Amino acid sequence: MIDCFYALGGINYKNGVITTCPRQANQLVFAHETILPSEIFNHDNFKDLRKMMYDNQWPSGCDTCEDMERDGLKSMRKDFALHNGWFFKKDSL
């Protein structure tokens, strides 16, 4: 699993487009469809993205973090670390 606080639990509203985080390049949901968090989180595009992450695959819109990590840099995904397999905690590194 690619654990990412933002992709697995975040909702980011930006200019009429709703994504998982500020770095997510894909337009997952449009604000004219819904702005309700429950409908966004359960939207097929959000579910597909989370499934890819669970299957250890980088979604296309997560290429910024993927590229940074491939180059040995700390990506935004690493801002929060998964602890005990069930909660995220702000990473102090």
Side-chain angles (χ1 to χ4, degrees):
M1 178 175 85
I2 299 173
D3 57 313
C4 175
F5 170 78
Y6 303 101
L8 298 177
I11 295 176
N12 185 271
Y13 298 85
K14 53 186 175 188
N15 300 322
V17 175
I18 305 166
T19 65
T20 56
C21 79
R23 295 280 189 192
Q24 174 55 252
N26 294 345
Q27 299 174 331
L28 300 176
V29 179
F30 293 94
H32 70 271
E33 295 177 61
T34 185
I35 59 167
L36 295 174
S38 61
E39 290 180 7
I40 293 165
F41 193 76
N42 292 306
H43 191 281
D44 285 342
N45 292 341
F46 270 68
K47 290 192 292 189
D48 290 345
L49 184 136
R50 289 192 304 271
K51 173 124 176 48
M52 288 185 75
M53 301 294 276
Y54 281 120
D55 291 342
N56 207 35
Q57 300 172 11
W58 283 98
S60 62
C62 298
D63 56 331
T64 301
C65 287
E66 181 183 16
D67 293 344
M68 288 179 71
E69 290 179 26
R70 187 176 337 115
D71 292 339
L73 302 170
K74 181 180 173 185
S75 71
M76 187 173 145
R77 178 179 82 88
K78 299 288 187 171
D79 288 348
F80 294 88
L82 186 62
H83 289 270
N84 299 327
W86 66 276
F87 73 96
F88 284 92
K89 182 178 173 186
K90 179 77 172 159
D91 192 16
S92 59
L93 298 177

